[in-house]
Amino acid sequence: MVRKVSNKPKPFYSLTQAAKDSKFEDKTTYKKVVEEIFKVAGQKLIYKNRVSLAGLGMFYLTAYKSSKKLVDFGMTKKLGKTIYYTNFHSNRVRYKISWGKSIRIKYYLFKPYRFLNRELAKKIINDD
């Protein structure tokens, strides 16, 4: 189904919903297979810095320097004054996972799952 582009927020389409809508009989196996594919793709992305998924486009790591300071809310709450992250371990460079969409994809949003972000942080700290 093709939907017109609008400013309305798009509904979240989870893996559970995709499994329900799939034509496969065994929904739990379908969900496990898709999860495993994305786990392997995420690990490849972290250690090879880019991964291409057929039909979805290219995912890659982007390094950038920002003038904005990030607040460390945990330490700020403990000490009672504003504490900022320094990122000295990465020479004040931040990393993010970017998505180079293929032309056909207009209605999807990529949000890396928490485990992928944590793996990326471990790699950055251990490699530098």
Side-chain angles (χ1 to χ4, degrees):
M1 181 170 130
V2 178
R3 188 168 45 169
K4 279 177 34 177
V5 176
S6 68
N7 291 332
K8 293 179 184 176
K10 289 153 183 79
F12 179 72
Y13 194 67
S14 68
L15 182 56
T16 306
Q17 185 64 39
K20 286 180 185 175
D21 294 347
S22 72
K23 57 186 172 189
F24 298 102
E25 291 181 23
D26 191 5
K27 309 297 184 190
T28 56
T29 304
Y30 173 83
K31 188 175 174 182
K32 285 179 184 177
V33 168
V34 172
E35 284 176 348
E36 197 61 35
I37 288 170
F38 280 104
K39 261 187 204 174
V40 170
Q43 290 173 349
K44 184 177 178 186
L45 171 69
I46 288 174
Y47 293 103
K48 301 270 185 178
N49 294 336
R50 67 179 47 209
V51 66
S52 178
L53 295 175
L56 290 178
M58 179 74 74
F59 295 87
Y60 50 92
L61 295 179
T62 305
Y64 66 98
K65 283 196 174 187
S66 177
S67 59
K68 288 176 123 181
K69 293 180 179 180
L70 290 178
V71 177
D72 184 353
F73 289 105
M75 290 301 290
T76 298
K77 190 172 182 180
K78 284 181 186 176
L79 300 177
K81 62 179 184 175
T82 306
I83 306 295
Y84 296 100
Y85 287 110
T86 57
N87 287 347
F88 288 133
H89 62 278
S90 64
N91 200 15
R92 295 184 186 240
V93 175
R94 294 185 191 167
Y95 294 87
K96 68 178 181 177
I97 300 168
S98 301
W99 180 23
K101 297 180 190 178
S102 67
I103 295 171
R104 295 176 281 147
I105 297 182
K106 296 179 183 175
Y107 303 109
Y108 292 97
L109 170 71
F110 170 69
K111 269 187 115 168
Y113 57 97
R114 191 174 192 161
F115 176 75
L116 187 60
N117 282 334
R118 299 301 182 259
E119 282 290 315
L120 176 60
K122 285 179 192 174
K123 180 188 179 257
I124 292 167
I125 290 171
N126 292 334
D127 282 354
D128 289 343

